[in-house]
């Protein structure tokens, strides 16, 4: 798995607006937030592992996470490719950060 970011710039208004526009439930918001953090932590993609994601939520089990991920995919918020979860913005940010790292290492 690729090395991700220890922190990232989060835009709370954009996140909340997206959740509101999609009329997400509380569980959808929670799962989406955890997945977004995992995406940034792991460099733009993370395993589609409902058990691991559910471990971050004390009252949501793997079956509910699996169903919620399917809902988020249907909403267009996440994609699944080869067993990995993806989100466009997280991938773009991770790639930008990797490119910047290469530029800095070449320069210095």
């Amino acid at each position: 798995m690729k090395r991700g970011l220890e922190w990232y710039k989060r835009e709370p208004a954009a996140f909340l607006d997206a959740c509101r526009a999609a009329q997400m439930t509380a569980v959808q918001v929670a799962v989406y937030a955890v997945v977004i953090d995992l995406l940034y932590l792991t460099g733009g993609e993370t395993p589609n592992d409902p058990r691991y994601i559910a471990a971050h939520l004390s009252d949501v089990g793997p079956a509910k996470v699996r169903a919620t991920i399917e809902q988020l995919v249907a909403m267009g918020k996440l994609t699944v490719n080869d067993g990995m979860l993806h989100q466009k913005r997280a991938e773009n940010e991770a790639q930008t950060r990797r490119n910047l790292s290469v530029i800095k290492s070449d320069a210095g």
Side-chain angles (χ1 to χ4, degrees), residues 26-62:
V27 172
Q28 290 169 336
V29 172
V31 170
Y32 188 50
V34 169
V35 169
I36 294 295
D37 283 345
L38 290 172
L39 288 168
Y40 279 98
L41 186 64
T42 57
E45 64 179 9
T46 195
N48 184 7
D49 183 351
R51 186 177 308 258
Y52 180 68
I53 295 166
H56 293 84
L57 303 163
S58 66
D59 62 345
V60 181

Side-chain angles (χ1 to χ4, degrees), residues 58-69:
S58 66
D59 62 345
V60 181
K64 185 66 174 173
V65 168
R66 183 176 298 104
T68 303
I69 288 171

Side-chain angles (χ1 to χ4, degrees), residues 43-103:
E45 64 179 9
T46 195
N48 184 7
D49 183 351
R51 186 177 308 258
Y52 180 68
I53 295 166
H56 293 84
L57 303 163
S58 66
D59 62 345
V60 181
K64 185 66 174 173
V65 168
R66 183 176 298 104
T68 303
I69 288 171
E70 290 172 5
Q71 294 164 359
L72 292 168
V73 168
M75 291 175 173
K77 297 297 180 184
L78 300 173
T79 58
V80 181
N81 188 3
D82 293 328
M84 301 296 277
L85 291 171
H86 298 264
Q87 196 254 1
K88 190 87 169 148
R89 183 172 180 172
E91 287 179 355
N92 290 342
E93 293 291 331
Q95 186 61 49
T96 298
R97 184 63 64 102
R98 283 192 294 275
N99 292 346
L100 182 59
S101 179
V102 168
I103 290 168

